[in-house]
Amino acid sequence: MIVMSGRVLISGAGVGGSTLAYWLSERGFDVTVVERATGQRSSGNPVDVRGFAAEVVEQMGVMPELRKVAIDVDRLSFVNAAGRRRVSVATKGPDGSAEVELARAELAKILLGAAHARAEIRWGESITGLVPDGAGVSVTFEQHAPERFDYVVGADGLHSNVRRLAFGPEREFVRHMGIYVATLPVARAYGEAHEVVMYNTPGRSISVHPAGGKPLAALMFRGPAVPGYDYRDMEQHKRLLLEAFDGPAGIFGDVIDQIRAAGDLYFDSVSKVRLPTWSKGRITLLGDAGSSVSLFGDGSSLAIAAARTLAEELARTPGEPDTALRRYEERQRVLSDPEQNGARAAGMFIVPGSRLGILLRDTAARVMRRV
């Protein structure tokens, strides 16, 4: 292992930022993490840790913790309005033993716990200004006095603050893919203990994930970009959902009723982030901030893999930031670009836009099913 020192500021204490904090600290960097939220969320949609990401968390020594809170789901069932199963497909591949599914919040909590002893975490803090030069980046904050860092990493998601400050406005890089998604905790599951149940009407999808005894609904609908959309405005989100699902919801009618009273509601556009380069000077982007595949892709696994790669490259070529960041991007795009290219097909599978699309999806599912 190559060990060096240097100051790195990470914006975002989610999956990617927490993993990066661990691996940079392991290599002798002085790491500070800032997170706009005042603490970690207690809920979150289920995500997978698979492939190279599973190897990374094994190396971090946290896989046993992940398995303790893992969610054991093995199939997705498409149902009709009465709840009758039309077709079920397996959600685990033949190598499923190396995969773990768990709530995103649990994953971030465990990863951050691994880094906490080595990195400084500042909750309720945000970056307000970035001034890069050849030797580093001068940073201003909402709460703390200005500081200087050797590198700044934006691991702050689809609506990245670092990307906005360093690269330009969001509209230049974020493309709406024609679908909106919401998730919220609900009172009960609708299928068996290890089964996700989904009901489709043209351009709409409602599903409930058992989520280890804490059922979580996901609602998706097709539509153009909403003028004046604000990803932080929950009342707007509820209104958009209720308008989109103003019609028969099959067995999920009570899910729609729960939207009005929901206090823990996630809502956003399914979007793709594309930039010609992820780095500007000593400022770089990680995970969804630079290459979001939004809902339809292995975003958490990609962020974990990217964090390990970035730490390796920064340590491998000390004093050569351009080389390190170029190599990081080249290696990671090999993983992220195929996921981005496949996102539209995934959207057609989960949210078919017509009755014919639903029929074709179900037919394809019968061909591929393994349960």
Side-chain angles (χ1 to χ4, degrees):
M1 178 187 297
I2 301 172
V3 178
M4 64 165 296
S5 62
R7 296 197 74 202
V8 181
L9 175 66
I10 302 170
S11 176
V15 172
S18 298
T19 307
L20 180 62
Y22 173 88
W23 286 109
L24 287 176
S25 298
E26 277 281 289
R27 284 160 170 75
F29 287 89
D30 178 3
V31 180
T32 300
V33 181
V34 295
E35 169 58 54
R36 180 184 295 275
T38 55
Q40 288 178 315
R41 293 185 62 183
S42 59
S43 63
N45 58 300
V47 296
D48 294 321
V49 178
R50 65 176 75 194
F52 181 63
E55 298 177 24
V56 173
V57 297
E58 288 276 14
Q59 293 164 354
M60 293 173 69
V62 299
M63 183 62 89
E65 292 181 72
L66 300 186
R67 293 199 183 280
K68 285 181 183 178
V69 294
I71 300 166
D72 187 16
V73 166
D74 57 21
R75 64 190 179 278
L76 166 63
S77 295
F78 301 107
V79 302
N80 62 17
R84 182 177 177 181
R85 290 168 182 78
R86 299 161 65 98
V87 62
S88 296
V89 294
T91 56
K92 290 184 178 179
D95 60 343
S97 59
E99 301 175 4
V100 179
E101 183 181 18
L102 71 166
R104 182 189 296 273
E106 291 284 358
L107 176 59
K109 177 182 177 181
I110 291 170
L111 294 172
L112 188 62
H116 192 272
R118 301 175 172 89
E120 178 188 359
I121 315 298
R122 299 177 184 174
W123 297 103
E125 180 62 286
S126 183
I127 298 169
T128 59
L130 297 169
V131 180
D133 57 47
V137 186
S138 297
V139 184
T140 54
F141 301 94
E142 286 185 354
Q143 308 294 334
H144 287 72
E147 294 181 60
R148 187 160 174 82
F149 295 86
D150 295 286
Y151 294 94
V152 173
V153 181
D156 42 0
L158 175 64
H159 304 288
S160 171
N161 182 45
V162 168
R163 187 187 62 226
R164 178 182 61 81
L165 291 170
F167 294 82
E170 184 171 300
R171 64 179 179 274
E172 295 183 9
F173 310 110
V174 179
R175 189 174 76 222
H176 175 60
M177 295 180 63
I179 298 175
Y180 285 90
V181 58
T183 61
L184 70 155
V186 291
R188 65 184 179 93
Y190 289 75
E192 298 178 2
H194 307 294
E195 177 186 38
V196 179
V197 178
M198 178 177 290
Y199 171 61
N200 288 96
T201 55
R204 303 189 308 173
S205 168
I206 306 175
S207 64
V208 172
H209 193 298
K214 299 178 182 179
L216 189 76
L219 300 95
M220 293 171 250
F221 65 91
R222 290 188 175 273
V226 175
Y229 170 67
D230 182 352
Y231 71 93
R232 294 195 180 105
D233 186 346
M234 186 180 294
E235 292 307 311
Q236 181 193 52
H237 303 165
K238 290 182 179 182
R239 186 180 72 253
L240 291 171
L241 279 172
L242 293 171
E243 289 174 355
F245 288 89
D246 181 21
I251 60 170
F252 295 110
D254 55 337
V255 171
I256 307 303
D257 294 337
Q258 292 174 65
I259 292 173
R260 294 179 178 86
D264 185 6
L265 174 72
Y266 166 85
F267 182 94
D268 212 341
S269 161
V270 175
S271 301
K272 188 180 293 188
V273 175
R274 289 277 198 183
L275 287 91
T277 179
W278 298 344
S279 300
K280 181 170 286 189
R282 291 177 177 240
I283 302 170
T284 194
L285 302 173
L286 177 75
D288 284 352
S291 58
S292 175
V293 289
S294 206
L295 181 71
F296 305 122
D298 294 325
S300 293
S301 288
L302 288 171
I304 290 170
R308 172 64 186 269
T309 299
L310 177 55
E312 286 178 346
E313 293 300 343
L314 290 180
R316 180 172 296 158
T317 53
E320 299 180 41
D322 292 344
T323 299
L325 296 177
R326 175 178 54 79
R327 288 179 177 172
Y328 150 64
E329 184 170 339
E330 288 173 350
R331 291 174 60 187
Q332 189 59 25
R333 281 191 184 272
V334 172
L335 300 178
S336 64
D337 283 356
E339 294 286 351
Q340 284 203 327
N341 294 336
R344 190 166 297 279
M348 293 173 64
F349 188 81
I350 299 298
V351 196
S354 64
R355 294 190 184 280
L356 177 60
I358 294 172
L359 177 61
L360 292 174
R361 188 277 312 279
D362 289 353
T363 301
R366 290 187 182 96
V367 173
M368 65 184 286
R369 69 179 177 181
R370 295 187 295 271
V371 296

